[in-house]
Structure formats: C-alpha cells, structure tokens
Amino acid sequence: EAGVAQSPRYKIIEKRQSVAFWCNPISGHATLYWYQQILGQGPKLLIQFQNNGVVDDSQLPKDRFSAERLKGVDSTLKIQPAKLEDSAVYLCASSSTRGNTIYFGEGSWLTVV
Amino acid sequence: AQTVTQSQPEMSVQEAETVTLSCTYDTSENNYYLFWYKQPPSRQMILVIRQEAYKQQNATENRFSVNFQKAAKSFSLKISDSQLGDTAMYFCASVNDMRFGAGTRLTVKP
C-alpha cells in the first residue's frame, strides 16, 4: 500500500514570496490533515478535511495560508506571502475516518530567508 | 478542543533498561483515541501505539506498552529493553481532533 506522498520535499524562498505544497493521501482515506511543525515544537494542526469539506481550520492563518482538497483526494496548501516565521516542516497526514490511525507523509521542509 | 501535555522535555535511559514517558490530556468526550508517535531526525512521524478510551485493557506492542488511566486523564508510554534505535522525539496525541503534545526527546545511551 502506497503511503502519503508529499512534494516538494525541500523549498527555500524569500520572504513575501509564495509557495505551494502538494499532498496525495493513502488511497481511500477520507480524512486529510495539514500540520505545521516548527523546529523544537510539536506538530500544530492547520486544517482538517473530511472528503472535500473543511472540518477544522481554526488554527490556519487565513490572511496568508489557504488549502483546498478538490474532488476529495489530493490537497494543496499555499502560503502567500511567506514570512520568516513560516519556516517549518509541513506534514500531511491521512486516515480512513476521523478517529482512526493517522498516517503521515515525509513532510515538506520550508525555509524562508 | 482537547489539550495534550507532555511535562518531560527530555529524558535519557541506558540501553536495555526501561523508561516511562508521561502524557496528560483534557477532554469532555467519552469516546476517543490516544496515540504515541515517534519522530526520528528525518521528521517522519511513526505510529508507536494506539489506545481506545472505551477499552479497559492497556495497549501493548512488543516492547512498548501504555498505562492508561482514564479517570486521571493520563496516558504514559513504557519502553522496555530500550534500544539505541529508540532515540527520537516522542509525541502523545489525542483524537478526535488530533492535537499533539510538545514532545519528549528520548536519548538511549550505550
């Protein structure tokens, strides 16, 4: 069974530029999560999708972050414009339903300079 | 939203010995799940063990076991016969809204 796929793995951008991360969850998984993990901290949930609907985006900085999950499969997380404090690993994860085991991708490392 | 607290930022243990990592959580729900994840330097999150709140029996996976105290809202992880490969960050997480604790950095010493 293929795992959660993320790309790009690494990205370096200048502040005020934009960046997009892509995630393809495990086949058949209805729930998809995006987390932000700053060095030395635990992952912070940014947004949770159930199929193509948003379940929780209470911690998503909506002035600069956006996410979509068209057709209820893969998802894109965008940051525009980026700030220095956005430097982090962005983890995508999926589960078959809410409450089931969550499987993570390898993460996308973002450095904003 | 549920909150998860890990009060031990760092711990160390000698190889082959046993170590326990602590986690407390806060929830108003009756049915929920709790997880421990391991994160090595590669940042890949790896599931270690899962506990369902309605089950009385503590979960066990080989050298890993939990002490789940529902009334106290405590969910500790015990690692027996520690191995060098167990060195990593360990995160406690609660489902249903998948909040993570701040993590415990575990170092296994030879």
Side-chain angles (χ1 to χ4, degrees), chain A residues 33 35 37 39 41-43 45 48 56 58-59 89 91 98-102 104-106 109, chain B residues 33 35 37 39 41-45 47 50 89 91 95-103 105:
Chain A
Y33 309 81
Y35 287 87
Q37 188 178 23
L39 187 64
Q41 299 181 16
L45 180 67
Q48 180 184 156
D56 183 357
S58 58
Q59 299 190 95
V89 177
L91 296 165
R98 289 185 70 201
N100 276 3
T101 299
I102 294 181
F104 285 83
E106 293 180 304
W109 298 58
Chain B
Y33 299 83
F35 296 83
Y37 280 88
Q39 188 179 48
S42 68
R43 296 287 194 112
Q44 174 76 54
M45 296 286 278
L47 177 68
R50 157 192 163 125
M89 287 290 294
F91 293 98
V95 183
N96 303 319
D97 58 2
M98 275 314 286
R99 274 11 185 205
F100 282 81
R105 182 179 302 279

Side-chain angles (χ1 to χ4, degrees), chain B residues 26 36 44 47 57 74-75 78 80 90 95 99-100 106:
Chain B
D26 182 26
W36 278 97
Q44 174 76 54
L47 177 68
Q57 188 172 7
S74 170
F75 181 58
K78 186 172 83 170
S80 304
Y90 286 81
V95 183
R99 274 11 185 205
F100 282 81
L106 176 67

